[in-house]
């Protein structure tokens, strides 16, 4: 059973930075895709950033140029570096991964950006 555990969320002022971590219970070397999604109150869950096992990245339009996703296969961890945070970045951030064609979600970590 794959478990994903997020950490690093919290309260930050607009313009600040946070780094989220997602630790997997298994080796992520074989993960086809790992990604971060977020969900704001009253809104649908949306893609923030994704990274393939080859290192190819993609980003949601709202975060391009401000967020960076990376992975450390040796530590079975995926990171999301968030800079120039805005109040509209507030939400629960979820880690997502696909292993052998099956999708897994973490429990989420709250990010709150104050104006």
């Amino acid at each position: 059973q794959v478990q994903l555990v997020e950490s690093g969320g919290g309260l930050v002022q607009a313009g600040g930075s946070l780094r989220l971590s997602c630790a997997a219970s298994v080796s992520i070397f074989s993960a086809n895709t790992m990604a971060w999604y977020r969900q704001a109150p009253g809104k649908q869950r949306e893609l923030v950033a994704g990274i393939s096992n080859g290192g190819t990245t993609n980003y949601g339009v709202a975060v391009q140029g401000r967020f960076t996703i990376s992975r450390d296969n040796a530590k079975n961890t995926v990171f999301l570096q968030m800079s120039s945070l805005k109040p509209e970045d507030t939400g629960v951030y979820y880690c997502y991964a696909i292993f052998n064609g099956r999708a897994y979600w973490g429990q989420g970590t709250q990010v709150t950006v104050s104006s």
Side-chain angles (χ1 to χ4, degrees), residues 4-5 18 27 31 38 41 45 50 54-55 61 64 75 77 85 87 106 112:
L4 304 173
V5 180
L18 281 175
S27 171
R38 68 186 182 189
R45 194 171 295 189
V61 173
Q64 284 180 348
K75 296 182 178 180
T77 301
L85 284 161
T112 303

Side-chain angles (χ1 to χ4, degrees), residues 16-20 66-67 80-85 93 111:
S17 299
L18 281 175
R19 188 175 84 153
L20 305 183
R66 299 188 296 123
F67 291 11
L80 183 69
Q81 178 66 48
M82 305 186 294
S83 302
S84 301
L85 284 161
Y93 284 67
V111 171

Side-chain angles (χ1 to χ4, degrees), residues 53-75:
N53 56 4
T56 301
T57 59
N58 63 292
Y59 296 91
V61 173
V63 307
Q64 284 180 348
R66 299 188 296 123
F67 291 11
T68 302
I69 189 171
S70 61
R71 59 193 289 167
D72 186 335
N73 289 344
K75 296 182 178 180

Side-chain angles (χ1 to χ4, degrees), residues 18-70:
L18 281 175
R19 188 175 84 153
L20 305 183
S21 300
C22 170
S25 60
V26 299
S27 171
I28 66 170
F29 183 79
S30 61
N32 302 97
T33 297
M34 297 199 72
W36 288 94
Y37 283 75
R38 68 186 182 189
Q39 188 165 20
K43 294 188 177 180
Q44 290 188 329
R45 194 171 295 189
E46 64 175 353
L47 173 69
V48 175
I51 185 167
S52 72
N53 56 4
T56 301
T57 59
N58 63 292
Y59 296 91
V61 173
V63 307
Q64 284 180 348
R66 299 188 296 123
F67 291 11
T68 302
I69 189 171
S70 61

